[in-house]
Amino acid sequence: ASPAHKLAVYAAGATRIGIDTGGTNGDTSLVLAQQGVDKAYVEYIGTTFGGARQNTFEFYTVAGVDQTFLTGATERMRILSANGNVGIGTAAPTSKLQIQAPNGNPAFKFNDSTIELWGGSTTTNGTLAVAAGGASLVVQNSGTNIPLIVAANPTIESDPTKTVFRVTDNTWATPWFTVVGSGNVGIGTT
């Protein structure tokens, strides 16, 4: 067969191309360049850098070049070079992870799993927010005799003045339904 590319390797069976440094701590790289300027790398990092990068397999790009992942010639995921934001279904993610699904389809789904939200430190809380015109948060349990459980931090549960669960308006100013650490329930009051 005549080569379709500058370098083409043909074999009747399995084909393997090897790149080996021959050293114990060297890096092995495939460099992708444009007009003599490196743009991206596929690389095995030996012990050259040490730390977290030691003995890792990396795909990386230079500044200004986003990483994209495609299937069937359609972009499925992008990592922005400027800030590291990851977009699935969007080429312009505005947060650390943004998932954009086609209308009517769930953006993500968890089966038999636990979803946990953690703040940036032990003094901050994670927030699950559902925001969009007409959006709602639905917690549904189709199991038998399995309750919906809202659990708070033990230090909050033992403090009768701390709110464990609240239903409120979008300003957080008007409490409609509140449960505090003592177990007391308030309707229209904290």
Side-chain angles (χ1 to χ4, degrees), residues 78-104:
R78 177 179 293 253
I79 303 172
L80 299 181
S81 172
N83 52 24
N85 288 355
V86 176
I88 299 175
T90 177
T94 57
S95 59
K96 283 299 171 194
L97 174 62
Q98 181 177 345
I99 302 172
Q100 182 69 42
N103 289 337

Side-chain angles (χ1 to χ4, degrees), residues 19 21 23 30-31 34-35 48 53 65 67 74 80 84 106 109-110 116 128 137 146 160 176 183 185:
I19 303 173
T21 63
L30 173 63
V31 180
Q34 182 181 41
Q35 296 180 332
T48 303
R53 289 188 67 195
V65 178
Q67 279 191 15
T74 300
L80 299 181
K109 187 175 184 177
F110 293 91
E116 295 185 7
L128 174 61
L137 173 63
I146 302 173
W176 294 335
V185 175

Side-chain angles (χ1 to χ4, degrees), residues 1-110:
S2 93
H5 308 284
K6 294 290 184 187
L7 173 63
V9 178
Y10 293 93
T15 303
R16 179 179 176 193
I17 299 173
I19 303 173
D20 191 336
T21 63
T24 57
N25 67 346
D27 303 336
T28 304
S29 302
L30 173 63
V31 180
L32 305 173
Q34 182 181 41
Q35 296 180 332
V37 178
D38 292 0
K39 297 291 184 178
Y41 306 85
V42 178
E43 194 163 54
Y44 168 75
I45 303 294
T47 56
T48 303
F49 293 107
R53 289 188 67 195
Q54 182 170 307
N55 292 318
T56 58
F57 178 69
E58 300 179 345
F59 293 94
Y60 74 93
T61 60
V62 297
V65 178
D66 296 344
Q67 279 191 15
T68 58
F69 298 84
L70 292 82
T71 60
T74 300
E75 183 177 317
R76 307 297 183 184
M77 184 171 83
R78 177 179 293 253
I79 303 172
L80 299 181
S81 172
N83 52 24
N85 288 355
V86 176
I88 299 175
T90 177
T94 57
S95 59
K96 283 299 171 194
L97 174 62
Q98 181 177 345
I99 302 172
Q100 182 69 42
N103 289 337
N105 294 314
F108 58 91
K109 187 175 184 177
F110 293 91

Side-chain angles (χ1 to χ4, degrees), residues 143-190:
T144 304
N145 298 323
I146 302 173
L148 170 63
I149 299 172
V150 177
N153 181 305
T155 59
I156 293 175
E157 291 171 351
S158 63
D159 186 339
T161 64
K162 299 289 185 180
T163 299
V164 175
F165 179 79
R166 177 178 290 168
V167 178
T168 183
D169 66 3
N170 63 356
T171 66
W172 299 83
T174 306
W176 294 335
F177 179 87
T178 303
V179 179
V180 294
S182 65
N184 290 349
V185 175
I187 298 177
T189 182
T190 57

